[in-house]
Amino acid sequence: MHAAPAGESSGARPRSPAPARSGTQSDRRTERVLGALAAGVLGLIALMTITVFAKAWPSFSHNGLTGWFQSGGDVDQQLREMLTSGTQGGHPTYHLRAWPLLWGTILTTGLAVLIGIVFSTFAAIFIVEFAPAPVRRVIEPIVRLLGGVPSVVYGLIGILAIAPWVNHHLLSESRKSSVEYLVQLAGSNLSTATLILTVMITPIMVAIVSSSLAAVPGPWTEGSAALGVNRWRTIWRISLRTARPAIIAAAVLATARALGEAIMLSMVSGGRGFAANPIDGITFLFEPVRPLAATIVQNSEALSAPSLGRTLYAMAAVLMVSAALLSLAGWAAKQPLKRYGIRA
Amino acid sequence: MPPPVRRIAIDRPPRVLPPSANGAGATAAGSPNPRRRLARPPVSDVIERMRIESVSLAYGARWVVREVTLPVRRGEVLALIGASGSGKTTLLRSLNRLTEITAGATRAGRITLDGEEIERLEVNELRRRVTMVFQQPNPFPMSIFENVAYALREENHGIGLGRARRRRSRRELEPDVVDALVRAGLYDEVAADLDHPALRLSGGQQQRLCIARALAARPEVLLLDEPCSALDPLSTATIEELIVGLRESVAIVIVTHNLQQAQRVADHVAFMHLGELVEYGSSEQVFDNPRRERTREYVSGAFG
Amino acid sequence: MATRATPLTAPGGAPLAGRPRDSIAAWPLADRLGYLTCWAAGIALCLVTAAIVLFMLVKGISYLRPSLLVQSPQGSLDQSKAGGFLDPIVGTLLLTALGTALAAPVGVALAAWLSEYARPAWLARTVESGVEMIAGVPSVVLAIFGLLVFSQGFLSFLSQTSAGGSVFGKSFFAAGGMMSLLALPLIVSSTREALAQIPAHVREASYALGKTRATTIWRVLLPSVRPNIASGVTLGMGRIIGDTAIVVVLLGATLQTEGAGGAPLLSTLRGTGSTLTSYVYTNSPTGEGNAPQKAYAAAFVLLMLVVGLNAIVTRLSNGPRATNAERSPLRRGLRAVRTPWTR
């Protein structure tokens, strides 16, 4: 670029760094192009958010913001009515009280994450601390494999193998008849759905927690051992404390995944918008539910219908807001730990 | 033409004496072993705490320590000196069975604590009675109070299922924590900040915190593995004074590769070379009148 | 003097003691319970995975016949008798290729911009959060948004238009476009992390030779993170293959791939079809078809695809990095730089 022209004597003046000619221009061009691309992707995301909320607004405004979230009547019937309802004087005549769907979402997601995080933490401790070396080598690909299984395969196993088993072995006739007037109990119910959902979100949590446990600084655990604290207590008081940000992050990520799980839940959760009642005791575990995401998938053909379509967008909006609130909560939960030197 | 080579000479300032060195440490800068022991209060009685008898240690097929016999007494500081690879750190770590954490480590010989073989004791109980402070300060990611109270919270009280742990309240623990911090010489500096994160302390303060943490459960023996090698001279001096003061209540074994530190601090010195105990004796005898040729070479700086 | 081979007896002939002695039997009850729970959790994890894999293996082998792989699905009422799932397989491959082809360049470009330029700062932070947001959005929401977008008039060329003038909005293009959003965050994060690991002196060396930033990225940095890009892309492909919601909503759910219009490839892409995932969904008791055996077979094929992809990712993250790490990044990077002095 700055070579002396051929033929000049080698004893010429020393070359001084000359400014690059077109380099800066091409740099600026590339930066503008890439920046525009980034802005474009951002615009798409923003468009998605705005559109979903815009389409969702009529549903909220029609039912009232508090009314939408309450319970009142049979949600499935209300959804069906929306397809057939017309307008009266320019206003749609349907109404929706979506509490059963919300409660189903809260139940399945909450229970799955609770059980899952406890189970995953213990499994992660096992993998990092107690597993013999050959077992540890095998477990890592196993966990990754488990995480890669498509949700429809989980759903298939659930609906074709687990649900009939539950129906046959765990549900007695007397239990079914006891609530017959209200709802039909079958193998596809809350417990089956929660169980499979737990298995689905476990790999994420195990991976995050175990990598954080493995990164606990050696001097801390050695110092604890030298003070006469046994291995389990060292894990409990030092390693888990250091891994707490990771556990929180894992729980947040798993909750986001569980919230968005539509296909498996639509196959296995019972398909009825029913608000499972904890007061029912053990029967509560066998009642059908249908979370929000599953509802959207099951009614997806009707997206172009005015009332039902807007309702589905309203459900999507609720899901998106929950996911955003979730990451905010996770971020907030990690802040106090930074003070003591535990960095996520 | 390349510029001419210039010889660079650094004028070395005279060595800084530790604050409370003997006045008689009048030191000729050139003399090989000037006597510079720290002023120390006399100790009423010296009791043997641990006895190391013909101990040999191996990692896999490689011998690291061979046939070492030493006493460890409360009331005196025992310094293990030697070049790198002499096995002194391994010997130290075998005293609280930390060598067992490494796979493939084997030991022969007897080590007794108050007459009991440490093999027979439960390992965590042993480590509560024989605690260790490491080379790099390693305070836990908690507050200062929680660091010192760490071992205290683990004590069994024989309640409930026979070996249950009782949760002690902060008020119960506070006197012990304060006492440990006082003995470690740190209380004055952190009295108002006991709940602050321990990682915010300076290096010297962190090491003193580790000493306080080790002292909290009132151990019988304190093992120090080159505790000052990562610290500045001022912190080093503070900790050395501390060590000399603590020897009355706790038996102290210190590993150091710094000969002058051993001279300042130790009452008895054990010189190890390539795994074998070459010489053991009082610090005056080893440094001023070494009996063995190897010792003489080492303390005069011929190798190491 | 200090070294001796086996056998290990003490110099005096005394026996050696050496087993670690933190005997768990001496722990308090609570600690022992904790230890057992960890073992139980670990064993349960292995058992569950083994159960799933074995179950699918058994069912798949018993129901999968080679003829299923090469026959198209027939539109008969009794699904269990007729046809195979060739079209769904083709659909899966097509959709994955489309989604990856869209996501990979955009993802790598985005990662390069975030890592090397990132100006203005507010835009960079927002883009970062936006990409993370996509990673957290349920695929159903992406699907219904996609339907909205692709039903607009100006995008009608990407799918079919019915006689009444309303855009169908469901086609391979539509599904592929939304699938690329699924894979995007994975590619961006893999590439970004890898780019962040390149030490600063590689970039400095390239600038010192007079190269522009663009050339540095294109010829020095990106080639050196090729394995990481590949593993990110493979992870994204795994995610695309496994997704059902977008397919169910955006692919039109016809059993066979039905093209639209005349052009050979374009017609298929503008048309509708199905993938393995939607095929399994439809043939399960939840969908309309009632052929659980075919559903098992298709699910088995799906699982094999995913397992294969996982194996590739494992090999990519363990294999080439071992050899690449031997060469210093400086040499690797400088090798790609061309100046008037190099020949």
Side-chain angles (χ1 to χ4, degrees), chain C residues 207-233:
Chain C
Y207 299 152
L209 287 167
K211 292 289 134 186
T212 65
R213 195 175 285 197
T215 320
T216 312
I217 297 178
W218 181 245
R219 290 182 154 267
V220 177
L221 300 179
L222 287 184
S224 71
V225 298
R226 256 199 291 251
N228 304 79
I229 299 182
S231 89
V233 166

Side-chain angles (χ1 to χ4, degrees), chain A residues 29-40:
Chain A
R29 218 178 324 135
T30 320
E31 183 175 354
R32 250 177 277 145
V33 165
L34 287 183
L37 185 64

Side-chain angles (χ1 to χ4, degrees), chain A residues 172-190:
Chain A
S172 59
E173 281 307 317
S174 57
R175 195 185 295 281
K176 284 196 215 179
S177 51
S178 69
V179 284
E180 208 170 31
Y181 60 95
L182 198 54
V183 70
Q184 264 191 341
L185 296 182
S188 298
N189 50 39
L190 176 64

Side-chain angles (χ1 to χ4, degrees), chain B residues 13-40:
Chain B
R15 247 183 299 198
V16 176
L17 296 181
S20 55
N22 252 339
T27 60
S31 129
N33 289 320
R35 285 272 311 267
R36 302 185 185 199
R37 293 187 73 210
L38 289 177
R40 54 190 64 199

Side-chain angles (χ1 to χ4, degrees), chain B residues 56 58 60-64 66-67 97 100 105-109 119-120 122-124 156 161 163-165 274 276, chain C residues 1-6 8-12 14-23 25-31:
Chain B
S56 310
R62 193 169 54 88
W63 289 107
V64 181
R66 294 167 58 83
E67 296 267 314
R97 287 169 66 181
E100 288 175 5
T106 48
R107 177 166 68 79
E119 274 297 307
R120 291 203 219 291
E122 204 261 306
V123 70
N124 292 309
N156 297 328
L161 294 164
R163 315 223 27 221
R165 223 168 271 109
L274 291 177
E276 293 187 343
Chain C
M1 159 186 42
T3 54
R4 190 192 299 191
T6 51
L8 280 186
T9 52
L16 292 180
R19 274 180 302 108
R21 292 287 187 87
D22 190 6
S23 62
W27 289 1
L29 182 64
D31 301 352

Side-chain angles (χ1 to χ4, degrees), chain B:
Chain B
M1 273 286 287
V5 173
R6 223 181 39 184
R7 203 151 256 128
I8 302 175
I10 298 180
D11 295 323
R12 296 184 192 276
R15 247 183 299 198
V16 176
L17 296 181
S20 55
N22 252 339
T27 60
S31 129
N33 289 320
R35 285 272 311 267
R36 302 185 185 199
R37 293 187 73 210
L38 289 177
R40 54 190 64 199
V43 173
S44 47
D45 54 350
V46 173
I47 307 175
E48 181 168 290
R49 277 293 192 198
M50 291 185 80
R51 184 138 195 97
I52 306 171
E53 292 172 13
S54 295
V55 165
S56 310
L57 289 151
Y59 281 134
R62 193 169 54 88
W63 289 107
V64 181
V65 172
R66 294 167 58 83
E67 296 267 314
V68 172
T69 301
L70 288 171
V72 174
R73 302 193 188 96
R74 187 194 76 185
E76 73 171 25
V77 176
L78 170 67
L80 300 177
I81 61 172
S84 296
S86 53
K88 49 190 199 296
T89 303
T90 313
L91 182 64
L92 189 82
R93 290 168 72 97
S94 73
L95 291 182
N96 65 351
R97 287 169 66 181
L98 266 188
T99 43
E100 288 175 5
I101 292 185
T102 319
T106 48
R107 177 166 68 79
R110 256 166 64 98
I111 306 182
T112 56
L113 172 67
D114 286 343
E116 300 170 67
E117 269 209 45
I118 64 175
E119 274 297 307
R120 291 203 219 291
L121 289 174
E122 204 261 306
V123 70
N124 292 309
E125 195 199 323
L126 168 70
R127 290 184 186 147
R128 265 173 250 133
R129 294 166 66 183
V130 180
T131 55
M132 182 181 256
V133 172
F134 295 90
Q135 190 168 348
Q136 289 286 346
N138 56 355
F140 300 137
M142 308 170 183
S143 67
I144 297 175
F145 185 90
E146 283 303 321
N147 261 280
V148 181
Y150 185 75
L152 292 174
R153 287 200 190 274
E154 296 294 318
E155 285 172 354
N156 297 328
H157 293 277
I159 302 177
L161 294 164
R163 315 223 27 221
R165 223 168 271 109
R166 187 162 59 93
R167 237 188 114 81
R168 297 166 75 180
S169 73
R170 187 182 159 124
R171 247 177 319 133
E172 274 185 62
L173 292 169
E174 192 151 356
D176 293 320
V177 168
V178 168
D179 180 66
L181 285 171
V182 165
R183 289 168 77 196
L186 190 59
Y187 185 65
D188 295 329
E189 290 167 46
V190 300
D193 302 331
L194 283 182
D195 287 323
H196 284 206
L199 290 169
R200 289 218 203 124
L201 296 173
S202 74
Q205 288 173 320
Q206 285 185 6
Q207 190 67 301
R208 275 179 283 154
L209 178 66
C210 295
I211 295 179
R213 186 175 70 191
L215 292 175
R218 302 194 182 276
E220 292 161 22
V221 181
L222 181 63
L223 308 175
L224 299 158
D225 185 2
E226 301 194 37
C228 304
S229 61
L231 303 179
D232 59 278
L234 205 52
S235 312
T236 304
T238 318
I239 292 186
E240 284 176 2
E241 277 187 41
L242 211 61
I243 292 175
V244 165
L246 280 173
R247 80 197 203 286
E248 182 167 359
S249 46
V250 188
I252 298 190
V253 183
I254 178 170
V255 162
T256 178
H257 64 262
N258 184 340
L259 281 177
Q260 287 76 27
Q261 180 172 73
Q263 283 180 282
R264 288 192 290 266
V265 160
D267 294 302
H268 276 81
V269 172
F271 169 57
M272 294 182 64
H273 183 63
L274 291 177
E276 293 187 343
L277 177 65
V278 175
E279 187 161 347
Y280 167 75
S282 76
S283 113
E284 292 92 343
Q285 182 256 300
V286 169
F287 283 114
D288 295 340
N289 289 317
R291 282 197 294 267
R292 308 281 294 273
E293 185 58 33
R294 187 61 60 76
T295 320
R296 196 195 318 273
E297 285 172 16
Y298 183 70
V299 301
S300 65
F303 72 93

